[in-house]
Amino acid sequence: MHPEDVAEGPFRVVRPADMLVVDISLINLRRDGSRLVPRIPGTPAFVVAVLPPQHVTEQAFPARTGAPSAPVRAFTAGPTTLSFSVPTDLNGLDLSLEALLDWERLVPLTDLSGLPTGAAGPTGFQGSPGASSNFPPGCSSPTTARWTG
């Protein structure tokens, strides 16, 4: 198997009506007319959705100290990566945003060890597959905070 046979995308979807922004990657899926079908029949196919950061936390100060004189530090959450396998009984997906976002028909992955290294993209899993519930060392939540100020 060649690396170019593994993933398609990511494709950025921006839907202004509800402010949806999501990058979608397809693994072992190819276009066949108006459908996405397995590139390699008989092997698992996946849809990986990466949502941008959606939370900001600002530095807190005790109420008795008054307003800070220096700029306040702020943290943004990291992106959220959701990975799904395509059930074989679906025989692929319609090539439509509605089908790609119909995650109830897909199987959520909680262990990504079967995906090729880096398949989830540069923002997902830092290029090394592992359990999606594993947090970075020293963190108590699945988001990675970084300074913005």
Side-chain angles (χ1 to χ4, degrees), residues 1 6 27-28 43-46 85 109-120 128-131:
M1 181 182 321
V6 175
I27 300 170
N28 191 34
T43 61
F46 304 95
S85 65
L109 297 179
T110 56
D111 180 0
L112 304 176
S113 59
L115 290 177
T117 300
S128 59

Side-chain angles (χ1 to χ4, degrees), residues 2-50:
H2 299 286
E4 61 269 12
D5 293 333
V6 175
E8 294 287 334
F11 305 100
R12 172 146 297 176
V13 174
V14 178
R15 190 170 59 192
D18 59 0
M19 298 190 297
L20 172 72
V21 177
V22 60
D23 293 330
I24 297 177
S25 294
L26 308 173
I27 300 170
N28 191 34
L29 289 169
R30 66 173 177 80
R31 185 176 176 180
D32 183 15
S34 63
R35 298 216 11 105
L36 292 168
V37 298
R39 182 180 298 276
I40 304 168
T43 61
F46 304 95
V47 174
V48 179
V50 179

